[in-house]
Amino acid sequence: VIVIGFILVVIFRKDYDVEHTPLVRVSHYNKVVRKEGVAYLHELQSEAKKDPLRKEAISSSVNACLAILLLFCQYCICYTNPIGTR
């Protein structure tokens, strides 16, 4: 049973490393034509990287993480300072 399972896994496996495969087509809703269609995956990924809203979301997430890191550093510095413990 285990051997048959491994054979089926090898036969029906899916390749998820499609980043460098330009011929992968996926269903896509086209906003201009307002129809469901088919587009190449690499084209959709390149369009998503250019989205200004996505860039703003990434920028604000990075800023929030850096602000939390700054607050943590200030907390560590303030409460490890031995001057105020007398």
Side-chain angles (χ1 to χ4, degrees), residues 13-75:
R13 71 181 177 89
K14 293 184 178 182
D15 292 327
Y16 292 104
D17 186 22
V18 294
E19 184 175 333
H20 301 292
T21 307
L23 299 177
V24 176
R25 293 170 44 153
V26 294
S27 64
H28 169 66
Y29 180 75
N30 193 341
K31 294 177 183 176
V32 176
V33 185
R34 296 185 181 169
K35 287 177 66 175
E36 185 77 22
V38 179
Y40 289 109
L41 183 62
H42 68 92
E43 291 175 352
L44 294 176
Q45 289 175 342
S46 66
E47 287 177 12
K49 289 181 182 177
K50 295 177 184 175
D51 186 20
L53 185 61
R54 180 178 184 268
K55 288 181 180 179
E56 185 66 30
I58 291 172
S59 174
S60 62
S61 299
V62 168
N63 286 339
C65 290
L66 290 175
I68 291 171
L69 181 67
L70 177 66
L71 288 174
F72 179 74
C73 289
Q74 287 177 346
Y75 174 80

Side-chain angles (χ1 to χ4, degrees), residues 71-85:
L71 288 174
F72 179 74
C73 289
Q74 287 177 346
Y75 174 80
C76 290
I77 290 170
C78 289
Y79 286 103
T80 58
N81 191 359
I83 294 175
T85 59

